[in-house]
Amino acid sequence: MKKIVLFLSCILALNLSARDFRGNRKDFEPANNELYKKECTSCHFSYSPAMLPANSWNYMMDNLSNHYGTDASLDEESVRSLKEYLQAHSSENSNSKRSRKITASLEPNVLYTSITQIPYLQKKHRKIEKNLIMQKEVKSLARCAACHKDADKGIFDDKTVNIPNYGPWNNKK
């Protein structure tokens, strides 16, 4: 009986740590669209749609022929389907705490064309020395999974950060 109670307590603690007191996710909902995972993660990390506002996703999807120097063009139906998914799960349509912070940090009438331009994400990384970001193992703030070991699950907690050639972030603040 004690083992069952302990097990259930652990499950509850894990669930509560991923959610705030209202039951909303603290971190991002991971990308869960099969077309998105197939087309986008073949080249890069599977960014949660909640990391950018809808207008940023629309811009990217409308400019796939020059997607950060690569032709990532798709057929019209795939573009339409992905735009619908990205808009529905964008930062302003997410109930996660971090997404709300992203949306609140945005300047009105500014088109953010990259995750690295988002003010909230810049603020969260301001204490990291530039040489740690620019090293070959990381290269850019856009390469989330290089340091955030649970990024694919939508978890960006400081406890899961392990910067290459530096170590765990939470132990060195």
Side-chain angles (χ1 to χ4, degrees):
M1 181 67 175
K2 286 182 182 179
K3 287 182 181 179
I4 292 173
V5 170
L6 181 60
F7 174 75
L8 291 174
S9 297
C10 290
I11 296 294
L12 180 61
L14 288 172
N15 188 39
L16 289 176
S17 67
R19 301 196 177 270
D20 66 15
F21 67 94
R22 290 183 292 259
N24 294 328
R25 284 185 64 91
K26 291 180 182 178
D27 285 295
F28 302 105
E29 191 68 39
N32 61 6
N33 178 285
E34 291 306 314
L35 179 61
Y36 178 81
K37 288 194 269 189
K38 176 186 171 215
E39 294 297 342
C40 304
T41 62
S42 63
C43 295
H44 59 71
F45 166 72
S46 180
Y47 298 101
S48 169
M51 295 177 85
L52 282 173
N55 68 342
S56 296
W57 287 118
N58 288 338
Y59 172 83
M60 282 185 214
M61 295 305 299
D62 290 341
N63 292 283
L64 289 175
S65 62
N66 186 15
H67 186 67
Y68 304 102
T70 301
D71 184 353
S73 297
L74 297 170
D75 63 88
E76 287 182 35
E77 176 59 28
S78 294
V79 170
R80 185 198 58 73
S81 177
L82 286 171
K83 280 175 93 170
E84 286 178 10
Y85 167 69
L86 294 167
Q87 288 173 10
H89 296 88
S90 63
S91 68
E92 64 265 53
N93 293 318
S94 172
N95 68 353
S96 82
K97 183 178 177 181
R98 290 194 196 274
S99 296
R100 287 192 304 272
K101 288 181 176 184
I102 283 175
T103 301
S105 77
L106 303 175
E107 295 291 327
N109 304 315
V110 172
L111 175 63
Y112 297 93
T113 60
S114 168
I115 285 178
T116 61
Q117 297 172 342
I118 301 296
Y120 171 74
L121 298 176
Q122 289 177 346
K123 180 181 174 186
K124 291 297 288 181
H125 294 88
R126 73 185 180 281
K127 294 180 182 176
I128 302 172
E129 295 175 26
K130 193 161 189 88
N131 66 312
L132 293 174
I133 295 167
M134 301 312 295
Q135 65 175 306
K136 66 178 177 155
E137 292 86 355
V138 180
K139 296 181 185 168
S140 164
L141 286 180
R143 296 196 58 230
C144 306
C147 301
H148 294 274
K149 299 308 174 191
D150 288 332
D152 61 328
K153 298 174 190 162
I155 299 171
F156 287 82
D157 189 290
D158 285 351
K159 295 174 188 166
T160 65
V161 175
N162 191 352
I163 302 172
N165 303 309
Y166 182 82
W169 182 247
N170 61 331
N171 291 336
K172 303 198 178 170
K173 283 187 178 177

